[in-house]
């Protein structure tokens, strides 16, 4: 992983904490949340305030995320909004934290000028010891304050001011006035500079969790289902009409189509579909060439085309299917029959533009592991896991490609691939619960019980 770290492809965009003042504030918040303190003088933090250096020091990568379902956070600066979320256990967590920071930017800027802000993404589940427990996660509410309780104190002072203004004897209440003066010394002028944070809650209907090998939960769609990365039998009965695993390709394809979650790349508007197909094919050739111990250092498209001709007999059906689709697009060839059973099928799709587009693209990335760019952009956890098992030749090629082709213009690359930016998480909305949503269209063969 050293090469990934060196190129900023792992632990990239973290916030450096090297000021004694900020270290002291962090420790105060850390003690407030966990009862522990760090001995580090210089470290880096993600959007939640998690530090890989402190995680290594504690021997606990979940020191701010107890049991993987109680995400706590420490904010030292609003600049954390641009940082990644490391060791994510729920796909919605980073979007929630980012929206919280953006919608309270002015207030957080004022608060973090004097203290750290500590908080938690609160839900009713404290331990997900069975897969079914994950379905109890319905709503995430953000609770936050400075370690000295500035926000709570400001709310209390505001109530005192209201009482002072409205109570008949308020002007003569010496105790109330003294309390107000004492509280104002702590909070400042809350009339001119209100110190409050918006109360924010987020529905958790559709999300991915890293628990139990990875589970995609889709509840707020017309035809609900869960999709697990491992064998579906291992998760037992889930409280959702249908449970699939990644081997149920036809069922997943039908699920995506019935819920109108995907579209064919070749028919999508605003993108160069042929260029995307060419790139996917290059990734597959590179994977084959790496297995054959070819040196891919500085490999160009022409080099990969040469290697593709050389190893034509070894190219997998994923490449063959994409090549047939490309011949239709560029050379007026016959329309290829690529059904959901074909290994190339999911390589031909992308998420439609909707609030769960990132979640669907994450699922597609897991179904198309040879597309290393999609895997890196949409499913970092799966990418790092796969990277550790690749031969050195493929590792070097992938790092070089991502460093020179993706890192230089991330936003442009995402727009070219997906045609839309990350949708922000929305406030809770009502789930559909009609008869078809409960029964589903797949029949009894793959239906989960419970």
């Amino acid at each position: 992983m050293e090469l990934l770290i060196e190129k900023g492809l792992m632990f990239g965009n973290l916030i450096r904490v090297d000021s004694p003042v900020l270290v002291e504030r962090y420790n105060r918040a850390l003690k407030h949340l966990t009862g522990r303190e760090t001995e580090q003088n210089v470290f880096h933090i993600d959007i939640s305030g998690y530090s890989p250096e402190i995680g290594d020091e504690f021997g606990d990568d979940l020191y701010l995320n107890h049991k993987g379902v109680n995400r706590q956070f420490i904010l030292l600066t609003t600049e954390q909004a641009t940082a990644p979320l490391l060791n994510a256990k729920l796909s919605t967590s980073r979007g929630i934290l980012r929206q919280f920071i953006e919608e309270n930017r002015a207030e957080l800027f004022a608060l973090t000028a004097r203290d750290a802000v500590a908080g938690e993404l609160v839900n009713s589940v404290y331990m997900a010891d069975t897969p079914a427990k994950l379905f109890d996660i319905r709503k995430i509410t953000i609770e936050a304050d400075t370690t000295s309780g500035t926000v709570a104190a400001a709310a209390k002072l505001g109530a005192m001011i209201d009482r002072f203004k409205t109570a008949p004897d308020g002007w003569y209440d010496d105790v109330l006035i003294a309390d107000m003066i004492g509280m104002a010394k702590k909070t400042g002028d809350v009339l001119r500079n209100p110190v409050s944070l918006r109360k924010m809650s987020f529905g958790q209907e559709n999300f991915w969790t890293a628990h139990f090998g990875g589970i995609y939960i889709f509840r707020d769609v017309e035809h609900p289902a869960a999709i697990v990365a491992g064998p579906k039998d291992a998760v037992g009965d889930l409280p959702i009409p249908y449970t699939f695993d990644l081997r149920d390709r036809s069922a997943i394809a039908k699920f995506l189509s019935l819920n109108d979650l995907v579209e064919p790349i070749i028919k999508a508007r605003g993108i160069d579909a042929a260029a995307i197909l060419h790139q996917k094919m290059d990734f597959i050739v590179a994977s084959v060439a790496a297995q054959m111990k070819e040196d891919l250092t500085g490999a160009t498209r022409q080099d990969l085309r040469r290697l593709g001709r050389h190893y034509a007999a070894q190219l997998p059906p994923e490449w063959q299917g994409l090549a047939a689709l490309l011949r239709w697009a560029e050379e007026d060839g016959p329309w290829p029959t690529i059904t959901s059973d074909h290994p190339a099928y999911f390589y031909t799709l992308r998420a439609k533009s909707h609030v769960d587009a990132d979640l669907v693209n994450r699922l597609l990335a897991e179904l198309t592991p040879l597309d290393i760019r999609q895997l890196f952009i949409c499913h970092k956890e799966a990418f790092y896991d796969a990277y550790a098992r690749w031969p050195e030749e493929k590792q070097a090629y992938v790092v070089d490609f991502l460093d020179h082709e993706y890192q230089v213009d991330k936003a442009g690359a995402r727009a070219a691939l997906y045609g839309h930016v990350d949708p922000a998480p929305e406030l809770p909305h009502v789930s559909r619960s009609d008869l078809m949503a409960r029964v589903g269209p797949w029949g009894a063969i793959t239906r989960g019980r419970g």
Side-chain angles (χ1 to χ4, degrees):
M1 301 294 182
E2 293 179 4
L3 190 56
L4 290 173
I5 297 172
E6 176 186 331
K7 297 296 184 180
L9 297 168
M10 189 175 188
F11 301 146
N13 294 328
L14 296 180
I15 305 298
R16 180 181 173 89
V17 180
D18 55 10
S19 159
V21 172
L22 291 181
V23 172
E24 190 276 331
R25 289 179 186 172
Y26 186 92
N27 258 332
R28 196 161 62 241
L30 188 60
K31 185 73 176 288
H32 175 75
L33 291 175
T34 70
R36 308 170 77 175
E37 293 183 299
T38 179
E39 296 181 0
Q40 304 292 322
N41 296 317
V42 178
F43 51 90
H44 298 78
I45 58 174
D46 69 3
I47 187 172
S48 74
Y50 165 80
S51 166
E53 294 99 334
I54 296 175
D56 185 61
E57 175 191 358
F58 290 168
D60 180 9
D61 288 334
L62 298 178
Y63 71 90
L64 283 181
N65 192 14
H66 186 64
K67 302 292 186 182
V69 290
N70 296 280
R71 170 68 68 173
Q72 297 172 305
F73 60 89
I74 298 172
L75 299 180
L76 297 179
T77 169
T78 53
E79 292 179 8
Q80 286 173 238
T82 62
L85 178 64
L86 305 181
N87 300 318
K89 294 297 183 181
L90 296 176
S91 61
T92 54
S93 296
R94 182 176 183 270
I96 289 173
L97 283 168
R98 183 176 61 186
Q99 186 169 335
F100 172 72
I101 295 172
E102 293 298 342
E103 294 197 14
N104 292 278
R105 180 170 286 275
E107 294 84 354
L108 289 170
F109 183 84
L111 290 169
T112 56
R114 296 190 298 175
D115 198 358
V117 171
E120 183 175 352
L121 308 187
V122 180
N123 72 81
S124 61
V125 176
Y126 295 147
M127 182 173 66
D129 53 347
T130 67
K133 284 278 188 69
L134 295 165
F135 288 77
D136 292 335
I137 300 175
R138 291 284 180 174
K139 184 174 72 171
I140 301 291
T141 301
I142 296 186
E143 293 182 358
D145 202 343
T146 64
T147 56
S148 57
T150 304
V151 175
K156 187 175 181 181
L157 176 57
M160 289 180 181
I161 293 172
D162 290 341
R163 178 182 162 194
F164 175 76
K165 289 181 175 180
T166 58
D169 59 345
W171 289 87
Y172 309 103
D173 191 334
D174 293 336
V175 175
L176 174 62
I177 294 172
D179 288 344
M180 289 170 54
I181 294 172
M183 193 72 72
K185 291 179 180 179
K186 181 179 181 181
T187 65
D189 187 344
V190 296
L191 294 179
R192 293 185 179 181
N193 302 293
V195 182
S196 63
L197 297 172
R198 291 171 179 81
K199 302 293 184 183
M200 301 178 69
S201 295
F202 300 83
Q204 300 294 285
E205 296 298 327
N206 304 333
F207 62 93
W208 169 86
T209 171
H211 293 278
F212 306 102
I215 302 177
Y216 297 83
I217 295 173
F218 289 91
R219 291 185 290 207
D220 188 33
V221 293
E222 190 171 356
H223 307 293
I227 301 171
V228 300
K232 60 189 174 188
D233 294 340
V235 301
D237 293 339
L238 300 178
I240 199 164
Y242 290 88
T243 301
F244 310 126
D245 61 38
L246 297 184
R247 296 172 298 182
D248 296 322
R249 295 175 60 85
S250 294
I252 293 174
K254 192 171 185 179
F255 162 80
L256 294 171
S257 176
L258 286 169
N259 289 303
D260 198 26
L261 296 174
V262 295
E263 62 186 355
I265 293 171
I266 205 72
K267 296 180 180 179
R269 296 181 179 181
I271 62 172
D272 187 344
I276 293 174
L277 294 176
H278 271 298
Q279 190 67 76
K280 290 174 182 282
M281 293 165 64
D282 284 350
F283 294 148
I284 296 172
V285 170
S287 182
V288 171
Q291 292 291 341
M292 305 305 293
K293 300 300 181 182
E294 291 281 354
D295 183 3
L296 297 175
T297 304
T300 64
R301 172 153 291 172
Q302 290 73 21
D303 295 328
L304 291 172
R305 195 157 50 233
R306 173 182 57 79
L307 289 168
R309 289 192 294 266
H310 185 70
Y311 294 109
Q314 283 80 31
L315 293 176
E318 289 91 340
W319 189 94
Q320 305 294 348
L322 293 177
L325 188 58
L326 196 59
R327 283 192 292 273
W328 173 83
E330 292 189 327
E331 303 171 12
D332 199 27
W335 174 254
T337 302
I338 302 177
T339 65
S340 57
D341 292 327
H342 196 292
Y345 177 75
F346 291 108
Y347 288 84
T348 69
L349 302 177
R350 73 169 192 174
K352 282 191 171 182
S353 182
H354 50 75
V355 71
D356 292 311
D358 278 0
L359 180 63
V360 173
N361 278 327
R362 179 188 286 265
L363 172 61
L364 290 175
E366 200 157 3
L367 290 163
T368 57
L370 293 175
D371 186 347
I372 53 95
R373 178 172 54 184
Q374 170 102 348
L375 198 62
F376 179 78
I377 294 174
C378 300
H379 201 327
K380 290 287 195 302
E381 296 81 6
F383 174 86
Y384 295 136
D385 183 61
Y387 178 92
R389 300 192 304 272
W390 289 337
E392 291 183 6
E393 292 81 2
K394 184 172 181 177
Q395 289 180 344
Y397 166 76
V398 170
V399 169
D400 183 68
F401 173 83
L402 293 174
D403 184 38
H404 291 95
E405 299 293 331
Y406 173 66
Q407 291 268 81
V408 293
D409 185 11
K410 296 179 183 179
R414 290 186 66 90
L417 289 170
Y418 310 119
H420 49 81
V421 297
D422 300 350
E426 293 185 342
L427 294 176
H429 45 286
V430 178
S431 302
R432 300 185 180 100
S433 58
D434 58 29
L435 180 61
M436 182 58 76
R438 294 195 300 272
V439 176
W442 296 282
I445 294 177
T446 57
R447 182 174 178 177
R449 298 184 305 276

